[in-house]
Amino acid sequence: MDAEAIALVVGISGAVDFALFYASGQVMDRFGRLWATLPACLLMGAGFVALALTHDLSGARTWFLLLGIVLGLGNGLSSGSLMTLGADLAPREDPAPFLGSWRTLTSAGGAFTPAMVSAVTAVASISVAVGLVGLIGFAGAAAFWRWIPRFVPAPGTRRGPK
């Protein structure tokens, strides 16, 4: 694909992502954090795995566009979820140290991922690297499925003192 076509797909994906910022907050507040994070991780995991498997198919450009939209949808559904979970979990009496650590750890993932993708691409291929990112998305979904209900109460339930 030429640079203009790739930029157009990335722009469309970004527009879908941006359009869901407000909806993501509404889902988290009305239905609980799990209802925003779990579908987001599953969509992004499936999108990246599918992207890794469709690059050689006929119609690869169409797949790239469709999966870009899926990835934008998944990312948009998760807008603000990590920061919201951090605020939910922070101790009430002194949240700053916890939130500083939380932000450092969540930002480390965004900083580490390009290095991981580069390393895997150097050793294997970009398809393998993208597939690995998809599998990490599925692992994130499993982690959220396991720990959000345990540590973050559903909307409408009382939370005891920390």
Side-chain angles (χ1 to χ4, degrees):
M1 290 179 72
D2 59 10
E4 292 82 11
I6 293 170
L8 180 62
V9 170
V10 170
I12 291 169
S13 179
V16 171
D17 181 352
F18 183 76
L20 293 173
F21 284 2
Y22 182 76
S24 171
Q26 289 295 313
V27 169
M28 282 191 284
D29 289 344
R30 291 180 187 215
F31 303 106
R33 310 311 188 226
L34 189 63
W35 285 94
T37 56
L38 188 64
C41 285
L42 292 173
L43 277 171
M44 288 191 289
F48 280 118
V49 168
L51 190 61
L53 300 174
T54 58
H55 64 90
D56 284 335
L57 296 179
S58 62
R61 292 172 187 237
T62 303
W63 279 109
F64 184 63
L65 173 62
L66 292 174
L67 293 170
I69 292 169
V70 167
L71 292 170
L73 181 65
N75 200 53
L77 285 175
S78 67
S79 296
S81 61
L82 287 178
M83 296 307 292
T84 303
L85 286 168
D88 289 342
L89 296 170
R92 293 180 185 167
E93 57 279 350
D94 190 19
F98 176 89
L99 290 173
S101 298
W102 182 270
R103 183 69 177 159
T104 299
L105 289 173
T106 58
S107 294
F112 173 74
T113 302
M116 182 207 64
V117 168
S118 296
V120 173
T121 300
V123 172
S125 71
I126 189 70
S127 295
V128 172
V130 170
L132 180 60
V133 171
L135 294 177
I136 292 169
F138 289 137
F144 283 136
W145 177 263
R146 167 74 174 98
W147 284 298
I148 286 178
R150 184 173 180 182
F151 292 105
V152 180
T157 60
R158 285 195 46 135
R159 181 178 175 174
K162 279 190 144 180

